[in-house]
Amino acid sequence: MQRSVLIIIMAIFLTGCANNQAQPTVPPTATIPQPTPSSVSSINPESLSNVIVNITNADRTALELHTIDDTGQASLKRSFTCPKNSCEQTKLNAIPNQPALALVIGDSGSGGELYQLDYTNWQATKLAAQVDQQSIAITPDGSKIAFVRLRTDTTAPVALGSIWMYDFAAQSTSQISEWSAFYTDLIWLDNQQLLFSKANVGTPPTDWHTWLLDLNDHEQPQELSAGRIQAIVGDQQLFIEHEQTRTADLNPLIQLERYDLEQGVSTPISTWYDRYSQTLNIKAAPNQQKAALVAGGEPEMLGMTTPPQLGVELKIIQADGTTSQTIFVNCTECYPTWSSKSQTILFFDANSQQFVLVDAATGTISHKTLPTAFYPYPSTMLIIDK
């Protein structure tokens, strides 16, 4: 098995972790799929080693990076002081063609400091401040990073933001969109064109649309479709999420569509799912040549104390439009996380306290354990493929 380095971001202190066309008739509750296991798991789980763990101290003044060796011993490699004592868990973003990653350190409300971190020597370079943790996108060639910078010095009820870009070669930062509310879901179509989602002002924000910004064209961004961009596979397949509200106290429903960029046509690829009691998510691999599509129920949220199966159906969508056979993954944290070179998909199963790793080429499932007291959060992990 190919060795890999798994970078885990954690926090000991957590602060709490329509389409324009006519919508189809929405059922009162969405159907929960009943998948059938179709993959083989390893019998004896191996231990994870060469792990980097990110924790905060008790008063949230510092963010620390530790390495964990084969024996489970941890050693401090890098410590960051957080502005305004606001350290919290964050995401790691692999930078293609560099032995480095990008991370935001600080408060998610007012924005944190964006760093480029070389994980071979632990040297860090500060790139920007007041950056939204959830809105980071790096070009496929690793030459540029787009991010949302926040402003809190206004009388607006929510923080205003604008999209900025850092060019690694020029070592310069530039603003590439106007100030507005609710920019999110930044995804590079290629090295010059950036996709993003934007909503009308509201609490919660509504009427999401997907836009395209071309760095080679100084015109205003072009609106592509209603809904929120979630992933891109190849150079033509966009995957967009639509939300359908319901009356009374029922949760909203969501549906995924495949949008053909060349023809401007959308096709649903899922039924409607309950946003909060079911799972429907798609995550593109870093190379953008495939994506992991997961769908399933969350039985513990539906009041089922002894569910027959807990997990999701996984399908891998390729750039040529083909889709793999369905793989059932037992997991409790079921949003997929990709390794840096698009080789492995990571989940976590709290029942067995094991990581669940799916080989993206073969569909083979293996299980690994973490030989430390740190609790893993796959949504903030990064596997560095060798």
Side-chain angles (χ1 to χ4, degrees):
M1 178 179 298
Q2 187 174 8
R3 290 177 59 93
S4 61
V5 177
L6 174 61
I7 296 186
I8 302 177
I9 298 304
M10 300 200 33
I12 287 180
F13 184 92
L14 299 179
T15 57
C17 314
N19 201 328
N20 291 334
Q21 299 177 351
Q23 296 289 346
T25 302
V26 179
T29 57
T31 301
I32 302 175
Q34 298 296 324
T36 301
S38 59
S39 56
V40 179
S41 302
S42 60
I43 299 176
N44 298 314
E46 302 175 20
S47 293
L48 283 173
S49 59
N50 300 322
V51 175
I52 301 174
V53 179
N54 185 322
I55 63 174
T56 61
N57 57 1
D59 57 4
R60 301 175 65 203
T61 59
L63 192 79
E64 300 176 347
L65 292 171
H66 297 255
T67 61
I68 303 174
D69 62 21
D70 294 343
T71 66
Q73 297 298 310
S75 60
L76 177 64
K77 293 296 184 180
R78 179 80 200 204
S79 180
F80 293 90
T81 300
C82 297
K84 302 178 183 179
N85 299 347
S86 58
C87 288
E88 59 184 53
Q89 67 176 0
T90 187
K91 293 177 61 178
L92 286 184
N93 304 269
I95 303 177
N97 301 318
Q98 296 186 40
L101 55 87
L103 73 162
V104 178
I105 298 172
D107 181 15
S108 61
S110 58
E113 296 178 336
L114 173 63
Y115 284 89
Q116 174 193 20
L117 176 66
D118 187 321
Y119 50 74
T120 63
N121 58 21
W122 305 101
Q123 297 299 307
T125 303
K126 182 179 174 180
L127 306 180
Q130 295 180 284
V131 176
D132 179 13
Q133 288 186 0
Q134 303 303 315
S135 299
I136 301 293
I138 304 171
T139 55
D141 67 355
S143 64
K144 294 178 282 291
I145 178 170
F147 56 91
V148 172
R149 174 171 277 172
L150 301 175
R151 283 183 59 184
T152 57
D153 59 341
T154 69
T155 59
V158 296
L160 297 181
S162 66
I163 303 174
W164 293 62
M165 181 187 72
Y166 181 86
D167 188 305
F168 286 104
Q171 297 184 354
S172 63
T173 304
S174 57
Q175 183 176 356
I176 58 176
S177 82
E178 63 183 8
W179 292 98
S180 184
F182 305 122
Y183 286 112
T184 190
D185 307 326
L186 307 187
I187 299 176
W188 287 96
L189 177 62
D190 51 32
N191 297 317
Q192 294 295 323
Q193 298 182 94
L194 179 70
L195 298 160
F196 64 91
S197 301
K198 189 175 181 296
N200 289 334
V201 176
T203 306
T206 59
D207 194 21
W208 288 94
H209 287 74
T210 294
W211 299 76
L212 175 65
L213 190 157
D214 191 339
L215 299 182
N216 295 317
D217 187 347
H218 298 291
E219 299 295 328
Q220 292 295 314
Q222 171 190 356
E223 181 180 340
L224 293 182
S225 172
R228 295 180 60 171
I229 181 68
Q230 298 294 296
I232 176 172
V233 179
D235 57 1
Q236 296 297 327
Q237 296 184 83
L238 310 185
F239 294 88
I240 295 175
E241 177 192 278
H242 295 273
E243 182 176 282
Q244 177 71 46
T245 58
R246 295 192 284 180
T247 58
D249 58 350
L250 295 175
N251 295 331
L253 300 178
I254 57 173
Q255 182 185 56
L256 286 175
E257 289 187 351
R258 188 197 313 259
Y259 178 87
D260 187 294
L261 187 59
E262 183 177 15
Q263 302 192 13
V265 177
S266 294
T267 306
I269 64 168
S270 77
T271 59
W272 292 89
Y273 282 69
D274 187 299
R275 177 179 287 282
Y276 301 116
S277 66
Q278 297 177 291
T279 298
L280 180 64
N281 183 259
I282 188 168
K283 182 68 175 291
N287 65 9
Q288 297 186 167
Q289 295 304 300
K290 51 196 167 191
L293 172 64
V294 294
E298 298 288 356
E300 73 279 9
M301 297 183 68
L302 299 176
M304 301 179 186
T305 56
T306 56
Q309 289 180 309
L310 183 61
V312 291
E313 286 185 319
L314 165 66
K315 294 182 179 181
I316 300 174
I317 300 174
Q318 303 289 343
D320 62 5
T322 60
T323 302
S324 72
Q325 292 186 341
T326 300
I327 304 167
F328 183 75
V329 180
N330 285 104
C331 53
T332 54
E333 296 183 31
C334 299
Y335 281 9
T337 299
W338 282 91
S339 61
S340 63
K341 293 184 179 179
S342 311
Q343 298 172 3
T344 305
I345 311 167
L346 177 70
F347 303 87
F348 183 70
D349 181 22
N351 295 325
S352 61
Q353 290 291 305
Q354 294 175 359
F355 295 104
V356 184
L357 287 81
V358 181
D359 186 304
T362 66
T364 301
I365 294 178
S366 60
H367 295 83
K368 292 181 179 290
T369 59
L370 183 66
T372 71
F374 295 116
Y375 188 84
Y377 290 90
S379 61
T380 54
M381 293 178 180
L382 177 64
I383 303 173
I384 303 297
D385 294 314
K386 291 295 187 179

